[in-house]
Amino acid sequence: MSALEPLYEGKAKLLYRTDDPEVLLTRFKDDATAFNAQKRGQIVGKGAINCEISSYLFQVLEQSGIPTHFLDCPSATEMRVRAVTILPIEVVVRNIAAGSLCKQTGIALGTVLPQPLVEFYYKNDALGDPLLTRDRLLLMELATPEQLEMLQSQALQINQRLIDFFQSCGITLVDFKLEFGVDSHQRVILADEISPDTCRLWNQATDDPNQRVMDKDRFRQDLGQVEAAYQQVLERIKGNRV
Ligand code: TMP
Ligand code: ASP
């Protein structure tokens, strides 16, 4: 299977066609951006780490009956995935208040939410990925009502599986972002990646608000030790191989 031509370059990944129209190849980059690409940098080794973490997590989810685009990893930074059309929606699930939820509502950082909060954002860099209401999402025809129900229920199932998995790694899953795609059979399946770039992960071994951060907030907030934190997430996951 050889990569033929690049289809798309995102901020953290490249997407290539392959000689099979049902299969695409994703190459994970070390590039990191934050705040809608206003901040740019490199996290050395991130491409390989995120590729490996995502592949583990996709397999954990597949084993729980959740369909994903994951096929296999032909190299350390490459993942073969099922070809899907990505829905232009970022699905965020939150268990603990952090990030934009705190900024926009005044809820204190670290507040445990009474139940998981599922939010939908419009995946549109030019508009700054705005928060959508369900009615706006339907008005804009970004998804059908059935797809919206599906996204909500899949997001909650994925959240529960990932909470349990990270708990067994001594990590608290604070929040995360998912992207879904539609395959050639009109099935909605989980796509993109699940990694410290797209999750907030807190180390249960410490309560120190800076030390506990094991995710891209280290880069966003200049907390240092970014590579080491990503590496530690991978090591914890590998120690828990399912
Ligand atoms: P937020 O608190 O900034 O809205 O982020 C919520 C979660 O979504 C957090 O785990 C980081 C992740 N995320 C992305 O993966 N990509 C993005 O563009 C944004 C804004 C957040
Ligand atoms: N906003 C994304 C993040 O902070 C990255 C970006 O948009 O450049 O995760």
Side-chain angles (χ1 to χ4, degrees):
M1 174 75 52
S2 60
L4 300 178
E5 56 176 289
L7 199 59
Y8 174 79
E9 176 157 14
K11 287 177 277 195
K13 295 188 295 298
L14 290 147
L15 195 62
Y16 295 90
R17 280 186 222 282
T18 68
D19 45 20
D20 179 345
E22 295 283 331
V23 175
L24 299 177
L25 184 85
T26 305
R27 182 168 293 139
F28 287 70
K29 302 193 286 187
D30 285 357
D31 299 348
T33 68
F35 315 120
N36 206 8
Q38 289 176 64
K39 176 171 178 154
R40 289 173 182 276
Q42 287 250 321
I43 300 173
V44 177
K46 173 171 86 77
I49 293 174
N50 280 0
C51 185
E52 198 169 356
I53 291 175
S54 281
S55 92
Y56 276 124
L57 296 178
F58 282 138
Q59 289 173 81
V60 166
L61 293 172
E62 289 273 0
Q63 284 168 20
S64 303
I66 294 159
T68 80
H69 71 160
F70 175 79
L71 293 172
D72 56 25
C73 292
S75 82
T77 56
E78 291 175 331
M79 187 184 286
R80 290 189 331 124
V81 298
R82 270 180 252 280
V84 293
T85 304
I86 296 285
L87 295 170
I89 300 170
E90 299 195 345
V91 182
V92 169
V93 184
R94 301 179 191 271
N95 298 304
I96 294 176
S100 68
L101 180 67
C102 297
K103 219 171 278 166
Q104 293 173 7
T105 65
I107 297 173
L109 174 68
T111 305
V112 177
L113 305 183
Q115 60 198 37
L117 177 66
V118 180
E119 298 177 328
F120 302 100
Y121 292 80
Y122 185 23
K123 188 174 153 62
N124 183 318
D125 283 340
L127 295 176
D129 296 346
L131 177 63
L132 294 171
T133 63
R134 282 167 171 70
D135 285 345
R136 279 191 184 180
L137 191 154
L138 295 174
L139 172 76
M140 295 162 72
E141 298 184 343
L142 300 182
T144 65
E146 294 72 29
Q147 285 173 337
L148 187 55
E149 280 312 305
M150 184 75 181
L151 294 182
Q152 171 92 19
S153 70
Q154 290 272 299
L156 288 172
Q157 266 188 62
I158 292 165
N159 183 43
Q160 197 51 58
R161 187 65 193 94
L162 292 182
I163 286 177
D164 294 344
F165 179 74
F166 279 116
Q167 180 68 29
S168 71
C169 304
I171 294 174
T172 299
L173 178 62
V174 174
D175 59 29
F176 57 98
K177 184 264 301 181
L178 301 172
E179 295 184 26
F180 292 84
V182 181
D183 72 7
S184 55
H185 309 287
Q186 298 306 307
R187 269 196 333 161
V188 173
I189 63 175
L190 180 63
D192 194 49
E193 67 179 282
I194 309 176
S195 72
D197 270 12
T198 62
C199 301
R200 284 197 175 91
L201 303 169
W202 289 354
N203 186 351
Q204 294 175 355
T206 173
D207 284 334
D208 182 291
N210 287 346
Q211 270 187 20
R212 70 185 173 191
V213 175
M214 304 179 85
D215 56 70
K216 202 164 103 179
D217 273 350
R218 298 206 75 82
F219 170 77
R220 295 189 188 98
Q221 300 169 20
D222 293 319
L223 298 178
Q225 306 266 317
V226 187
E227 288 84 1
Y230 277 55
Q231 188 65 44
Q232 215 194 344
V233 173
L234 176 59
E235 276 160 23
R236 296 265 189 107
I237 288 175
K238 280 165 107 168
N240 252 290
R241 201 186 292 247
V242 282

